[in-house]
Amino acid sequence: MFDKYNKVQQAVLETTLRIIIQRELQATSMALIAKESGVSTGNIYHYFQSKEDIINELYKGIVTFNGEYVIQGLNQKGTIRERFNWGWEKVIELSKKYPEGFLFIEQYSFSPYIYEEVKKEAYSGGWCGPMNKLYAEAIDQQLIIDMQPELMVQMHYGSIVYMVKGHIHGNIEFTEEIARNAIQTCWNGISRDIQIAN
């Protein structure tokens, strides 16, 4: 997930992510990060100015990785409906494959620890921007209802988030079949064909 960083930065970011998921942000100190990562405090400060700096870089790193992962589905050649399916399949696959990153983003996306400019950059970047464009394209082609694309994307993501959380915590089994049905339901909820038929 942090392959674009050097070894010291990777160790710090991976360790911080693990500690935060296990113990929460307030219990994550620079001393603990240094101890758990095997990187001296002085070396950490060479790359990061503060704990907040680490948290924000962690957030940016995960958002960037998630964006590249999901965009693989969105950028495939196919119909809008196919790309819709592939994009959301990648979101679900990513969330199940990298649960710590998923839980971190979900827990801290609106945290005051994350700088406002970082939040804005993440929201417009990552995979949300390209997904919003796909929805806008579907609206232009009159495939789905005319509603603000950003709201529809967040509405669908919210539904998937709860299913993934249930899976991570062992409350539900989020199988490929259930994922396909969930994506189908998301499409049906905004499809003009379905709306007209009703």
Side-chain angles (χ1 to χ4, degrees), residues 105-144:
I105 292 296
E106 280 313 297
Q107 191 165 354
Y108 295 103
S109 285
F110 299 100
S111 168
Y113 268 93
I114 308 300
Y115 307 139
E116 285 304 315
E117 62 270 22
V118 174
K119 290 178 186 177
K120 289 177 182 176
E121 182 183 334
Y123 191 76
S124 60
W127 59 264
C128 286
M131 187 74 84
N132 293 343
K133 289 180 181 178
L134 179 67
Y135 277 57
E137 190 178 343
I139 291 170
D140 289 342
Q141 294 190 21
Q142 298 188 347
L143 298 174
I144 62 176

Side-chain angles (χ1 to χ4, degrees), residues 23-153:
R23 305 189 186 193
E24 298 294 324
L25 184 56
Q26 300 301 330
T28 306
S29 66
M30 291 293 272
L32 183 59
I33 293 170
K35 179 182 176 182
E36 295 282 327
S37 67
V39 178
S40 69
T41 304
N43 208 6
I44 291 176
Y45 278 113
H46 178 73
Y47 293 102
F48 305 99
Q49 296 179 1
S50 62
K51 183 175 88 170
E52 287 77 12
D53 194 26
I54 296 174
I55 301 304
N56 278 271
E57 196 58 46
L58 181 61
Y59 186 82
K60 286 193 288 186
I62 294 172
V63 166
T64 299
F65 178 83
N66 289 356
E68 292 171 352
Y69 197 97
V70 174
I71 287 170
Q72 292 174 21
L74 294 174
N75 283 350
Q76 290 186 67
K77 291 185 178 179
T79 65
I80 288 177
R81 176 64 185 279
E82 287 171 334
R83 288 159 53 213
F84 177 94
N85 289 349
W86 295 330
W88 285 115
E89 283 170 4
K90 282 291 184 182
V91 170
I92 294 168
E93 181 182 298
L94 170 73
S95 303
K96 292 169 69 176
K97 194 171 181 180
Y98 301 95
E100 288 184 340
F102 166 80
L103 291 172
F104 176 83
I105 292 296
E106 280 313 297
Q107 191 165 354
Y108 295 103
S109 285
F110 299 100
S111 168
Y113 268 93
I114 308 300
Y115 307 139
E116 285 304 315
E117 62 270 22
V118 174
K119 290 178 186 177
K120 289 177 182 176
E121 182 183 334
Y123 191 76
S124 60
W127 59 264
C128 286
M131 187 74 84
N132 293 343
K133 289 180 181 178
L134 179 67
Y135 277 57
E137 190 178 343
I139 291 170
D140 289 342
Q141 294 190 21
Q142 298 188 347
L143 298 174
I144 62 176
I145 59 175
D146 189 358
M147 181 177 168
Q148 191 174 344
E150 294 83 357
L151 291 178
M152 285 193 283
V153 169

